[in-house]
Amino acid sequence: MTASMSEDGGGAAGVGAAAPRESVRHIALRTLRSAGQALAQLVSGLNTAVLAVLLTLWLAVTAATSVVGVGLLMAPAPLRALHSLAGRERDRLARRGPEVVAPEPPPVRLRLALADATTRRELRWLVRHATVGLLLGLLGALLPVLSVRDTTFPLYWTFMPANTTATSLGVGNAHTWPDALAVALLGVGWIAIVLGLTPGMARLQSDPGRRLLAAGPDVDLSLRVAELTATRAAALDAHATELRRIERSLHDGAQNRLVSVAVLIGASRRMVARDPDGADALLERAQSAAEQALAELRTVARGILPPVLADRGLAGALSGLAADCAVPCRIDVDVPERCAASVEATAYFVVAEALTNIAKHSGARHATVTARGSGGRLLLRVEDDGRGGADAEGGSGLTGIRRRIAAHDGGLTLTSPPGGPTVLTVDLPRGA
């Protein structure tokens, strides 16, 4: 009895010690993932920030030459470029968070543009993004380089020429091992900055775009109303298509099997008196047809709403799809809370169709499925290393995916250059 109690106590202590370790590991992984996403967002913002700097210079030259009349003639071109860059920034922000609803297309005639509220907000965003956004984007690109350079300095400092600058800051020389270790500590400081500050830096870079490029309360949202009307029509169309698919599956599959069962049972009843062996063979065929009908009914039922979603959640359901995929597939799911059942079903079918397309058409050796839940949105990313060249507008599979997503007012982005890789990104509202 005493030994048993000691073992129980040790087991409880082990469980208690394991729980904090698991919690620390989860926090560490979440911090690394958040920092990685923030760095990617900062670097993607650097692309539009560089274009914003060039466009700012163009607008400045246009304004300066307007005094002699030349700028008045060239004004529509930079205004078009401004609206195009603002649209590009909206798309970038929508890929990494909630959608930024665009207002009506602003005018490009100078007099109307100067009086247009949307153009003025876009100009304010342009100045901020060309200054603060550019600085933050540069920091997002440089901080990982500085971290690696200084942290690994003890590995190569003995091979460097004498009197060479030791740190990434351009100060100090390393002559001894303590000097080299001090530089490595500076690299650890860079890593701490990356882990602790980059998420806030990414938000600071994106906030002006989310505030200034979104349709304001004084803007006519007729385009958004038209978009929602089209979304509703797509939802009804997707529903009708799904009903037709279910009806066709039942009619061509299970119904024919059941008719065959009825015919075989009737024939066996007529034969049972004069030919018991033949009747037994017919009953065996009827049983086989009934089992096939049941299997097809289960397939149809799973196609309506997969039971695995209710039993194991989205992570378990996607893991099952990856296990059944003909191409080796890695799953990375971080969705802390359950989404609405219809949203999870849509995510499941989108990934299932995408993996089917990868197995059939891509020639890929590996695929990755990533799911993230944040800010009231569910973000899916399916990537493969295949031959590329997928067409977002072609193929019934992609059309079906687009209709399912449109039914939830979500977004789909497909990048598939020739030679690959192919990346399918889906943004869905998580629902209630």
Side-chain angles (χ1 to χ4, degrees), residues 3-76:
S4 177
M5 292 177 63
S6 298
E7 291 175 1
D8 291 343
V15 172
R21 284 198 299 269
E22 198 67 28
S23 176
V24 170
R25 180 186 176 191
H26 179 73
I27 292 173
L29 290 175
R30 185 173 58 188
T31 302
L32 288 172
R33 187 180 299 118
S34 177
Q37 293 173 348
L39 287 173
Q41 184 171 344
L42 287 169
V43 173
S44 70
L46 179 61
N47 296 330
T48 52
V50 171
L51 295 177
V53 172
L54 298 176
L55 181 55
T56 302
L57 295 176
W58 190 6
L59 287 170
V61 171
T62 302
T65 55
S66 295
V67 179
V68 295
V70 177
L72 298 177
L73 298 176
M74 59 185 296

Side-chain angles (χ1 to χ4, degrees), residues 177-197:
W177 276 105
D179 294 339
L181 293 177
V183 176
L185 288 178
L186 177 62
V188 174
W190 291 126
I191 294 174
I193 292 175
V194 168
L195 296 177
L197 297 184

Side-chain angles (χ1 to χ4, degrees), residues 39-310:
L39 287 173
Q41 184 171 344
L42 287 169
V43 173
S44 70
L46 179 61
N47 296 330
T48 52
V50 171
L51 295 177
V53 172
L54 298 176
L55 181 55
T56 302
L57 295 176
W58 190 6
L59 287 170
V61 171
T62 302
T65 55
S66 295
V67 179
V68 295
V70 177
L72 298 177
L73 298 176
M74 59 185 296
L79 286 175
R80 289 192 187 92
L82 172 64
H83 303 327
S84 176
L85 183 60
R88 183 171 177 174
E89 179 70 3
R90 292 186 189 98
D91 293 338
R92 183 186 76 87
L93 295 175
R95 287 195 298 270
R96 301 182 180 276
E99 179 186 7
V100 180
V101 180
E104 285 188 344
V108 294
R109 294 181 59 184
L110 183 59
R111 183 176 299 177
L112 296 177
L114 292 176
D116 181 60
T118 298
T119 302
R120 292 199 300 269
R121 285 200 303 272
E122 289 181 351
L123 287 171
R124 288 164 56 195
W125 164 80
L126 183 72
V127 173
R128 296 187 185 186
H129 198 55
T131 52
V132 177
L134 177 67
L135 176 61
L136 292 171
L138 289 172
L139 288 175
L142 288 176
L143 282 173
V145 177
L146 302 182
S147 303
V148 174
R149 195 266 187 196
D150 288 347
T151 305
T152 60
F153 187 74
L155 300 178
Y156 61 84
W157 76 277
T158 55
F159 304 101
M160 297 181 64
N163 299 323
T164 302
T165 300
T167 67
S168 296
L169 296 176
V171 296
N173 300 103
H175 303 289
T176 62
W177 276 105
D179 294 339
L181 293 177
V183 176
L185 288 178
L186 177 62
V188 174
W190 291 126
I191 294 174
I193 292 175
V194 168
L195 296 177
L197 297 184
T198 50
M201 293 165 58
R203 288 192 296 270
L204 185 61
Q205 186 192 59
S206 62
D207 279 349
R210 295 196 176 279
R211 286 187 294 103
L212 297 174
L213 299 183
D218 56 335
V219 176
D220 182 12
L221 296 182
S222 59
L223 288 179
R224 181 59 176 163
V225 172
E227 180 182 349
L228 292 175
T229 301
T231 299
R232 179 177 178 272
L236 294 174
D237 188 26
H239 178 67
T241 301
E242 190 66 13
L243 288 178
R244 286 194 299 270
R245 183 189 67 81
I246 295 172
E247 188 275 335
R248 188 167 56 251
S249 298
L250 292 174
H251 182 272
D252 297 342
Q255 178 175 302
N256 287 341
R257 300 288 184 189
L258 292 174
V259 169
S260 176
V261 169
V263 171
L264 290 172
I265 291 176
S268 64
R269 288 182 60 188
R270 290 189 295 271
M271 293 177 61
V272 68
R274 66 177 185 274
D275 187 4
D277 293 337
D280 185 67
L282 289 178
L283 287 174
E284 185 175 351
R285 290 173 55 190
Q287 181 181 1
S288 176
E291 291 172 351
Q292 293 176 7
L294 286 174
E296 291 174 356
L297 286 173
R298 292 192 191 98
T299 301
V300 173
R302 284 195 297 269
I304 298 172
L305 185 63
V308 68
L309 284 172

